[in-house]
């Protein structure tokens, strides 16, 4: 199983400390949520893990220093879905999803039968097979979000990092999206998801990392770390907590 280990990771953006001396070990077979209010440093953290931002500290992937790895090798190990992607080219959904196979292709090579099988599996898992011939730029926001998730799934990497994957999805597809991520983790993948929905994070995640002002303030099972005290301190909210047989956390009101 893949592992990602960050040690003393710090990122400075525009003269401000966006991530502060963060250390964490992320291992396969788990769905790990990264939580925190807006501006906490969640997206900055995952971009630093992937080497997309300058940072202090070290990142190891399967025991290998990430900085010694080729970008294509990293892309084959970790599929990444950034938030708020804009589509500029009128590709069909099938061709959009096929872009997920690029890390596996040599320059100027064509898709193999194995690549096409991976594309079909990804579209089925993200429930966009019926959209295969549609132009991606003409999709609704929710359809586009699922097509982009399919592109990440098509990599078939042992690790998947997704940034706000539930944005633009209706409640049914939000639940289905979390079920899909949960299934990926149960299949042995490392799945890391930046999330804002505390209810879904509590229900589906094995572990959550809670950030506030660039600092990791809590790390553990959702029900253990998402306490009334932490929610009041980090989010400024109160919440309803379900019983142990039905893990649930529902934000109720602002704490004044």
């Amino acid at each position: 199983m893949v592992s990602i280990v960050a040690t003393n990771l710090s990122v400075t953006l525009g003269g401000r400390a966006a991530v502060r001396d963060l250390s964490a070990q992320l291992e396969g077979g788990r769905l790990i949520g990264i939580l925190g209010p807006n501006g906490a440093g969640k997206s900055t953290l995952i971009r630093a893990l992937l080497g997309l931002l300058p940072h202090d500290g070290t990142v190891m992937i399967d025991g290998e220093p990430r900085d010694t790895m080729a970008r294509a090798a990293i892309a084959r190990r970790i599929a990444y879905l950034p938030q708020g992607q804009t589509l500029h080219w009128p590709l069909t959904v099938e061709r959009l999803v096929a872009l997920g196979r690029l890390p596996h292709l040599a320059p100027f090579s064509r898709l193999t039968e194995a690549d096409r099988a991976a594309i079909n599996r990804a579209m089925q898992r993200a429930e966009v097979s019926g959209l295969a011939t549609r132009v991606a730029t003409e999709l609704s926001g929710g359809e586009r979000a699922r097509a982009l998730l399919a592109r990440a799934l098509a990599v078939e990497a042992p690790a998947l990092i997704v940034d706000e994957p539930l944005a633009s999805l209706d409640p049914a597809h939000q639940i289905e999206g979390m079920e899909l991520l949960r299934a990926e983790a149960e299949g042995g993948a490392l799945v890391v998801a930046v999330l804002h929905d505390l209810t879904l994070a509590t229900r589906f995640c094995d572990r959550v990392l809670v950030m506030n002002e660039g600092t990791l303030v809590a790390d553990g099972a959702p029900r253990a770390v998402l306490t009334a005290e932490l929610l009041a301190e980090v989010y400024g909210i109160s919440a309803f907590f379900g019983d142990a047989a039905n893990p649930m956390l529902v934000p109720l009101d602002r704490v004044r």
Side-chain angles (χ1 to χ4, degrees):
M1 289 186 182
V2 69
S3 67
I4 303 174
V5 179
T7 303
N8 303 127
L9 201 66
S10 295
V11 181
T12 300
L13 296 176
R16 181 182 69 87
V19 176
R20 306 168 187 265
D21 198 31
L22 187 149
S23 296
Q25 183 167 333
L26 312 176
E27 297 179 336
R30 309 190 81 187
L31 171 51
I32 301 172
I34 301 181
L35 311 180
N38 293 334
K42 304 180 297 298
S43 298
T44 301
L45 170 62
I46 60 174
R47 292 179 67 200
L49 290 175
L50 291 164
L52 302 177
L53 285 176
H55 61 80
D56 294 324
T58 61
V59 176
M60 308 285 285
I61 300 175
D62 288 341
E64 183 177 353
R66 189 213 56 222
D67 288 346
T68 67
M69 299 172 64
R71 293 305 311 176
I74 297 171
R76 288 191 294 270
R77 301 257 192 112
I78 306 172
Y80 172 47
L81 175 60
Q83 64 170 291
Q85 280 200 296
T86 301
L87 301 177
H88 298 287
W89 298 97
L91 301 175
T92 65
V93 168
E94 185 173 28
R95 292 192 66 185
L96 173 66
V97 176
L99 294 176
R101 299 304 297 170
L102 287 178
H104 300 276
L105 298 177
F108 307 111
S109 63
R110 294 189 176 187
L111 294 173
T112 65
E113 288 303 314
D115 293 318
R116 296 190 185 281
I119 292 163
N120 289 332
R121 284 192 294 269
M123 289 195 296
Q124 290 170 2
R125 281 146 64 200
E127 297 190 346
V128 294
S129 296
L131 305 175
T133 60
R134 293 272 304 277
V135 176
T137 52
E138 298 174 358
L139 299 178
S140 70
E143 290 169 336
R144 188 182 308 118
R146 287 186 284 130
L148 290 167
L149 176 58
R151 184 184 67 182
L153 292 173
V155 182
E156 295 196 335
L160 172 64
I161 295 180
V162 291
D163 194 350
E164 297 191 33
L166 308 181
S168 303
L169 297 183
D170 59 56
H173 281 108
Q174 286 184 339
I175 293 171
E176 289 172 358
M178 291 302 293
E179 289 174 342
L180 188 157
L181 297 179
R182 172 83 248 156
E184 291 292 307
E186 290 176 349
L190 166 61
V191 182
V192 180
V194 172
L195 300 169
H196 279 294
D197 192 311
L198 299 178
T199 304
L200 292 176
T202 300
R203 178 178 171 188
F204 286 99
C205 290
D206 299 298
R207 172 184 170 195
V208 294
L209 278 61
V210 183
M211 297 184 66
N212 193 27
E213 296 181 349
T215 300
L216 180 63
V217 296
D219 180 359
R223 290 297 296 269
V225 303
L226 295 176
T227 63
E229 293 77 14
L230 181 135
L231 294 176
E233 179 181 349
V234 173
Y235 287 96
I237 61 170
S238 62
F240 165 80
F241 295 86
D243 58 39
N246 184 28
M248 183 180 297
L249 186 163
V250 182
L252 292 178
D253 203 355
R254 295 180 62 186
V255 175
R256 301 182 184 279

